[in-house]
Amino acid sequence: MKLKTTIKNLAILVVMIMSSNAFAQDGFQGQAIYMSKTTVDMDSFGGREMSPERKKSIMERMKSMLEKTFILDFNKTESMYKEDEALEAPSGGRGGFNMGGMSAGTVYKNVKDNQLLQDQEFFGKQFLIKDSLVKLDWKMTGESKQIGKYTCFKATATKKVDAADWTNMRRRGGDRGKKEADKKETAEVKSDSTKADVPKDPFEDIEIPKEVEVVAWYTMDIPVSAGPGEYWGLPGLILEVNSGRTTILCTKIVMNPSDKNEIKKPTKGKEVTMEAYQDIVKKKMEEMREMFRSRGGRGGGRRN
């Protein structure tokens, strides 16, 4: 068993050395196209009461938010990740339909200087998140698979979920919590029929988990410590990420393209750290919840 492990590690080392030599030239740059898709469990948020047509209509409207195409330009130490502007809806603005007034811009990473810069719009305000890179504690599994023509290896990690990560919102207690909440709501309506006219606080049964498991597949055929969005820190380009309800998959790679995009740092917006930005999001979410409560759950106040 130990001999097989040693042979496998030596083989990986040889691949890394050969690949590193191939990409050592100055001016090296690559481009990767990623498709990002997030699934939503409509039944967990009142969808069971909707007709199939209503569900379909809502999912179509959310499609621009749940399915996106991104471009990653990278060299040996830097990368720039942003949404493909050519595919945006004409009337959707820079980020199309976005969740809670959040519109993500460019994510710039520099692994040599350990620097993260992220252009972020939030409720009409422009922020420039400036912080150190957060490296996940990756665990190598030894598993491999093919993604296109590239041999990829599997790595897993546990990631802390921030307040701005709406993609991981879920009903408290999962399926069990959903059933208990439905029973409680039915009992309350039966005991007091007037409650049927009072909208329920949509935030009451929703939670964001503190942590989520991340599964990444990287290729040492392209030995750069880069990947989509916040992901990096592996001995090769990350081609696939599965995190919570979101899957990010690389669909195309162009090495040393003739028409290179300049990898540049975002500069616009109020400078904040990642922690400070997350605090701003938390406060805004609580403010929205209080507004909902004070208006009785209706945006325009109660109706007589």
Side-chain angles (χ1 to χ4, degrees), residues 181-284:
D182 290 343
K183 288 180 180 179
K184 180 180 178 182
E185 184 176 355
T186 301
E188 288 177 347
V189 171
K190 286 182 178 180
S191 64
D192 186 352
S193 61
T194 60
K195 290 184 178 181
D197 297 326
V198 180
K200 188 176 181 180
D201 182 351
F203 296 95
E204 183 178 333
D205 293 329
I206 296 175
E207 67 176 358
I208 296 178
K210 293 182 180 180
E211 295 180 333
V212 66
E213 183 184 27
V214 178
V215 176
W217 293 89
Y218 66 96
T219 178
M220 291 185 293
D221 295 338
I222 306 176
V224 295
S225 187
E230 65 194 277
Y231 301 105
W232 69 288
L234 287 167
L237 181 65
I238 298 173
L239 300 190
E240 181 178 335
V241 174
N242 294 283
S243 176
R245 294 182 177 275
T246 299
T247 296
I248 306 172
L249 178 64
C250 182
T251 58
K252 182 180 179 181
I253 296 176
V254 180
M255 304 306 299
N256 291 313
S258 56
D259 187 15
K260 297 180 181 179
N261 291 329
E262 181 184 357
I263 299 177
K264 52 186 179 182
K265 301 178 180 180
T267 58
K268 296 180 180 180
K270 178 182 178 181
E271 285 192 16
V272 292
T273 63
M274 182 62 75
E275 183 178 2
Y277 177 73
Q278 291 174 8
D279 286 340
I280 292 170
V281 173
K282 288 178 183 178
K283 290 178 181 178
K284 187 64 177 180

Side-chain angles (χ1 to χ4, degrees), residues 70-230:
F70 293 88
I71 300 173
L72 177 73
D73 291 289
F74 59 90
N75 56 34
K76 290 181 289 185
T77 60
E78 298 174 291
S79 66
M80 181 177 68
Y81 184 73
K82 62 180 181 179
E83 188 175 350
D84 186 357
E85 297 178 354
L87 297 181
E88 290 180 1
S91 60
R94 184 182 64 178
F97 178 77
N98 59 80
M99 179 71 173
M102 293 181 282
S103 181
T106 301
V107 178
Y108 169 89
K109 300 191 295 288
N110 188 316
V111 297
K112 181 179 179 181
D113 297 336
N114 193 36
Q115 184 181 42
L116 167 71
L117 291 171
Q118 183 172 341
D119 173 7
Q120 184 78 45
E121 183 182 336
F122 184 62
F123 279 89
K125 295 183 179 180
Q126 195 71 35
F127 294 94
L128 179 63
I129 300 172
K130 187 174 183 180
D131 217 322
S132 299
L133 288 171
V134 176
K135 186 176 182 180
L136 297 177
D137 184 16
W138 295 108
K139 301 291 191 301
M140 309 301 183
T141 68
E143 297 179 57
S144 64
K145 72 173 183 178
Q146 288 292 126
I147 297 180
K149 66 178 182 179
Y150 297 97
T151 299
C152 296
F153 298 92
K154 183 179 178 180
T156 63
T158 300
K159 182 186 75 169
K160 291 183 178 180
V161 179
D162 62 65
D165 190 359
W166 61 268
T167 62
N168 283 299
M169 285 183 178
R170 65 187 184 191
R171 182 180 284 271
R172 295 184 188 278
D175 292 336
R176 181 180 177 184
K178 178 170 63 175
K179 292 177 181 178
E180 291 177 352
D182 290 343
K183 288 180 180 179
K184 180 180 178 182
E185 184 176 355
T186 301
E188 288 177 347
V189 171
K190 286 182 178 180
S191 64
D192 186 352
S193 61
T194 60
K195 290 184 178 181
D197 297 326
V198 180
K200 188 176 181 180
D201 182 351
F203 296 95
E204 183 178 333
D205 293 329
I206 296 175
E207 67 176 358
I208 296 178
K210 293 182 180 180
E211 295 180 333
V212 66
E213 183 184 27
V214 178
V215 176
W217 293 89
Y218 66 96
T219 178
M220 291 185 293
D221 295 338
I222 306 176
V224 295
S225 187
E230 65 194 277

